[in-house]
Amino acid sequence: MPHILHLGVGNFFRAHAAAYTQDTPGWQITGVSFRSPAIRDGLATQSYGYSLIVKDAGGTLIKPITCMSDMLVASEGPVSVIDAVASDQFSVITLTVTEKAYRLGPDGQLDMASTDVQADLQGAGITVIGTLTRGLARRKSPVTVLCCDNLPDNGSKLEHAVRDFAAAAKLNLPDAITFPSCMVDRITPATTDAIRAEAGDKMAVPTESFTEWVIEDRFVAAKPDWPGVQWVDDVAPHEMRKLRMLNGAHSFLAYAGALRGYTYVHEAIADPELRHTTQALMREAAETLPDSVQAQAEAYADALIKRFENPNLHHRLRQITMDGSQKLPIRILATLADRGTMPSPSLQAALGAWVTFVQTEVTADRPLDDPRTDELVAACQSADPDAALRAMIGA
Ligand code: CS2
């Protein structure tokens, strides 16, 4: 049976790629967690199956997911993961490990100065890039490596990071590997006790019914016939549409909404001022998109507002506020840079909301959930916190 190896078995993967694979007869997935065994332990007791709880304004639908057949945990032995990456059992390797796990610097290249990357060059087996690269270097059969994280040009970023690691570790990579880029979309909150109780499944995952996956058609080995996927030559326009309009608006709502005391996305979008700025931000973002997706931008913005209004999803703003130092450059600053001298009050409002949010959290002594927390706290304690925070992320 053809197999996919998936790195990063979080809720997003379990609502997105796993749901597509569930509808693709014949394909199965082996999952990999990097640090905690908790998801493997939970899923193993139920043969790796779980319920996807699909919630819309109209009601709830439950979709059983049974296409996962095994899981590995890298922290229990990175060699098992390196062996799996090298194994010709898998023709596709997919990844959803979050933006920060790639250890990229502000220039989008692998951060060679990172202590984890340095440790991995000595064989520590900690990072995603190190583990993946060591497996790929031993690969004998063709393989497609598909990055499914919210990074622009995600395929080429991953390819460069892998090639840089291989060069530094003096590893040779085989020729038959491709790294297509793709755009992924499905709003997927964290699981709560209420969801577990409603589903009668401790491993249940909540999500919305909307789902989108646009993939560059550059597979070098057996390709799953995922239903509903749009296969394209160039994914960049779709990726920009989604990152700048959806994720940009999400980050604005998260920081500005949290500052106004809201808990959920649907509450923040019901606030007339926040709604107005969200819509204006989407228009500012849409003006930077390539011609090929201009015609869809208005309908896309309207559909996004409806998705944000979903009253049954209970998507916490604080799930989106995390890792701002990684997300803002991609979702807000790149758009601002492309707008050049055109006025961009709503994008500026999003940047300002992040700056205020960080200072408010630090002043209130609440922990920030961000890989650059130490630098953020130092910036807040400097003579000019606003300027220092902006400078830190290159604004
Ligand atoms: C969100 C995304 O947490 C966040 O930063 O903006 O996870 C968003 O829900 C997904 O990209 C939607 O596809």
Side-chain angles (χ1 to χ4, degrees), residues 338-353:
D338 278 2
R339 287 183 64 84
T341 55
M342 285 199 284
S344 312
S346 308
L347 289 158
Q348 290 294 353
L351 176 58

Side-chain angles (χ1 to χ4, degrees), residues 150 184-187 242 246-247 250 315 319-320 327 331:
N150 282 323
V184 291
D185 187 12
R186 193 165 204 182
I187 296 176
K242 193 259 170 171
L246 188 159
N247 296 110
H250 243 177
H315 191 197
Q319 185 178 334
I320 307 171
K327 292 173 175 173
R331 302 171 172 201

Side-chain angles (χ1 to χ4, degrees), residues 9 14 33-45 71-73 75-76 202-203:
V9 189
R14 287 193 280 148
S33 279
F34 272 81
R35 283 189 302 256
S36 159
I39 292 179
R40 190 272 322 272
D41 291 350
L43 287 174
T45 61
M71 267 194 75
L72 307 168
V73 179
S75 58
E76 291 175 354
K202 63 184 188 304
M203 300 309 290

Side-chain angles (χ1 to χ4, degrees), residues 100 255 320-329 333 351-395:
K100 63 181 171 231
Y255 298 117
I320 307 171
T321 56
M322 70 163 118
D323 296 346
S325 71
Q326 311 293 297
K327 292 173 175 173
L328 269 266
L333 302 186
L351 176 58
W354 173 73
V355 168
T356 309
F357 174 83
V358 171
Q359 292 178 70
T360 308
E361 296 299 285
V362 169
T363 308
D365 225 8
R366 277 191 291 269
L368 288 169
D369 199 344
D370 193 294
R372 296 180 73 187
T373 292
D374 293 349
E375 291 164 80
L376 290 169
V377 171
C380 289
Q381 288 156 352
S382 70
D384 187 349
D386 270 42
L389 285 169
R390 284 165 195 261
M392 227 191 90
I393 60 167

Side-chain angles (χ1 to χ4, degrees), residues 9-16 39 52 188-191 203-206 319:
V9 189
N11 270 17
F12 178 72
F13 155 74
R14 287 193 280 148
H16 190 262
I39 292 179
L52 194 59
T188 306
T191 303
M203 300 309 290
V205 175
Q319 185 178 334

